[in-house]
Amino acid sequence: MSTLGQQLKQLRNNKKLSQPEFAQQMGIEQSYLSKLENDKSIPSNEIFRSLLRALDMSIDEFMKPLMTSDDKVRLIQIPDVEQWIKSQAINTAVKQRKFIYCAMFLISFGCALFYAGHKNYVFNEQFYEYQSIGVIKPNEPLEIFNHWRTLIVDKTKVDEKRREMIARRVELSQFISVYKGGSFSENVDGGTRVYTFKSKLQPIPHYGNNWLEFIGLFAALFGIALAVFEPKLTRYQ
């Protein structure tokens, strides 16, 4: 960690300037420049500005290497430096809040995604099988295919009715993701079909849920990492 004097001397040497040459550019005595480079004096605000002009540097560029230096305690006596350090503290606080808010959002969003994927809220994996025997004509009872014999008055027509019911028996199945109770009906051409619950199928895995769990876990872990490393990420570099 360098001091003001050490940095000033290094920057002057980088420009290949002697103390007299650099002192002349700053508009100060060589002896005073020597005191500055040996940390025996702190420049006034005007001298500090002259120093920056001579080095052709902004206060950001000059102060960056000194942010972790103990010499910052002495430098704060310079009004421009004091104001700059305060502004950096404000900027850092703003960055910290943004990182914390972002981390909180990622953790919450990630947990919600993981939970949705784990509970199959977005991509259903459970299906139910319903079966319909055939089309029920208007004015016929819904149980016609199972109890057609009880509806025949003329017993001589039993065989005829049997052949008719066999011809009308066209079974259809539906596999749906929502349980609709023991049965439900749908209007179709020629009448109505009654679908009766047959079985609950084994869950069918959906890759979408796996992706939701993966993305949710990644987002939550990334949010936790942001929260943990926030001090390093928001520190002035």
Side-chain angles (χ1 to χ4, degrees), residues 59-60 63 66-67 69 71-92 236:
I59 189 170
D60 281 333
M63 287 299 300
L66 299 174
M67 280 301 296
S69 171
D71 208 31
K72 195 167 57 174
V73 177
R74 291 195 316 136
L75 288 171
I76 204 170
Q77 300 176 42
I78 304 172
D80 280 0
V81 173
E82 180 184 17
Q83 186 62 37
W84 182 85
I85 290 176
K86 287 180 179 178
S87 68
Q88 292 306 306
I90 293 173
N91 292 338
T92 299
Y236 183 79

Side-chain angles (χ1 to χ4, degrees), residues 12 37-39 43 55 69 75 77 84 88 103 106 110 131 134-135 143 147 152 156 158 208 221 229:
R12 175 177 62 77
E37 290 187 351
N38 290 296
D39 293 311
L55 292 172
S69 171
L75 288 171
Q77 300 176 42
W84 182 85
Q88 292 306 306
L106 285 173
Q131 191 174 61
V135 177
E143 302 83 8
H147 305 289
I152 298 176
T156 61
V158 171
L221 291 177
F229 293 105

Side-chain angles (χ1 to χ4, degrees), residues 106-172:
L106 285 173
I107 293 172
S108 301
F109 182 68
C111 289
L113 274 185
F114 183 86
Y115 186 76
H118 186 67
K119 291 295 184 178
N120 309 329
Y121 285 155
V122 179
F123 302 102
N124 183 62
E125 295 184 352
Q126 184 63 66
F127 291 90
Y128 304 88
E129 182 181 4
Y130 283 82
Q131 191 174 61
S132 172
I133 298 175
V135 177
I136 301 170
K137 296 178 181 179
N139 301 320
E140 285 184 336
L142 298 180
E143 302 83 8
I144 184 67
F145 284 96
N146 295 320
H147 305 289
W148 59 269
R149 289 176 181 272
T150 62
L151 302 175
I152 298 176
V153 178
D154 187 350
K155 299 303 180 181
T156 61
K157 296 184 178 181
V158 171
D159 290 339
E160 180 183 347
K161 190 65 174 179
R162 180 188 298 111
R163 288 192 294 270
E164 177 192 344
M165 297 310 296
I166 291 174
R168 289 172 55 187
R169 194 180 184 94
V170 180
E171 296 185 0
L172 292 179

